[in-house]
Amino acid sequence: CGSANSAEAALLLLDRMGNKAVQLTAVTFGAAIGACGRGQDWEAALMLLRDMRDGRSTRVRVDAVAHAAAVAACAKASAWSHALALVKP
């Protein structure tokens, strides 16, 4: 998932994992958020970060890797206000 250069592929894989009752972890979310960043899909990256925090099927703690990947996804797509909102306390 993390090596998939397509946000679409990463999102599809996460969806399939959830449908197959595979436990989603901070690692799987982080990899998908990173793929979204490489695909410049900052909106999908933020959606995944919210899914981690608010729970898809179970809550997954947002870790530093996923958070940094979401900031990077926003920055790469020049969505500066969203990137800054993620780093403000």
Side-chain angles (χ1 to χ4, degrees):
C1 185
S3 63
N5 289 327
S6 164
E8 190 175 315
L11 294 171
L12 180 62
L13 182 57
L14 271 185
D15 189 52
R16 286 182 179 170
M17 289 173 70
N19 290 339
K20 299 285 184 185
V22 174
Q23 183 176 2
L24 301 176
T25 66
V27 173
T28 55
F29 273 101
I33 292 170
C36 290
R38 286 188 296 283
Q40 295 191 16
D41 192 347
W42 63 272
E43 291 169 314
L46 292 182
M47 178 195 69
L48 290 172
L49 197 65
R50 276 191 302 273
D51 282 351
M52 285 181 79
R53 188 176 44 239
D54 301 336
R56 268 187 146 209
S57 55
T58 61
R59 286 193 174 176
V60 177
R61 174 172 249 151
V62 176
D63 65 357
V65 174
H67 194 265
V71 171
C74 292
K76 186 172 185 176
S78 298
W80 301 112
S81 62
H82 294 282
L84 289 172
L86 289 173
V87 295
K88 286 185 179 178

